[in-house]
Amino acid sequence: MTPAHADAVLRIYGAGAASGLATFQAQPPTWAEFDAGHLPDHRLVALDADDAVLGWVAVSPVSGRCVYAGVVELSVYVDPAARGRGVGRLLVDGLVDSARAGGVWTIQAGVFPQNRASLALHAAAGFRVVGTRERLGLMGHGPLAGSWLDVVLLEKRL
């Protein structure tokens, strides 16, 4: 992923936010916010034959404490028009390879239980459920607006 992909990455992020199934955020961040919050060494995009972005994956550090230096949190988003074509799996597998090569020892993710496709993707990629944070936050947008949502916690040890 490069800054040249920023518009497409943020558009796809916005589509996920609008679905109400991907994030508590109502709007995507700015590119500067996205760039500051995600580790530069572990950002990937999937491109079609015309170099259009089909999806993206990136990780954020989970803590500034040195004992968590090898633990990251994954975000993966696929363009609605590209869903069901294996793009998410391609991205997650690429991220796992990148993280392993970069010294990461644990990748974690938080997924709404209503997002069955994301839960299935993570399970297929070898993530395991470690718990559920109940009623973590109030959804303010999308089809689940006004609902308190649980977040399923997943991890993959490398």
Side-chain angles (χ1 to χ4, degrees), residues 2-3 5 16-17 39 58-59 62 71-72 92 98-99 101 120-121 124 136 149 157:
T2 70
H5 300 118
L39 298 175
V59 297
V62 299
V71 183
V72 297
V92 171
S98 172
L121 166 63
L136 182 63
L149 296 183
R157 296 293 304 236

Side-chain angles (χ1 to χ4, degrees), residues 63-75:
S63 174
R65 296 180 59 204
C66 63
V67 296
Y68 292 104
V71 183
V72 297
E73 182 171 2
L74 170 145
S75 295

Side-chain angles (χ1 to χ4, degrees), residues 1 3 7 28 30 41-42 49-50 63 69 72 76 80-81 88 92 98 100 102 115 147 149:
M1 181 188 302
D7 289 343
T30 65
D41 292 338
H42 308 294
D50 297 320
S63 174
V72 297
V76 58
V92 171
S98 172
R100 184 177 281 121
N115 193 339
S147 302
L149 296 183

Side-chain angles (χ1 to χ4, degrees), residues 28-111:
T30 65
W31 180 251
E33 292 166 336
F34 183 96
D35 189 45
H38 295 88
L39 298 175
D41 292 338
H42 308 294
R43 302 180 195 181
L44 303 171
V45 291
L47 304 173
D48 69 10
D50 297 320
D51 289 333
V53 177
L54 301 175
W56 60 269
V57 65
V59 297
S60 303
V62 299
S63 174
R65 296 180 59 204
C66 63
V67 296
Y68 292 104
V71 183
V72 297
E73 182 171 2
L74 170 145
S75 295
V76 58
Y77 286 73
V78 176
D79 188 298
R83 291 183 186 151
R85 297 177 16 202
V87 173
R89 181 62 190 270
L90 179 72
L91 287 164
V92 171
D93 288 349
L95 184 276
V96 167
D97 291 344
S98 172
R100 184 177 281 121
V104 170
W105 59 80
T106 301
I107 303 170
Q108 66 183 39
V111 177

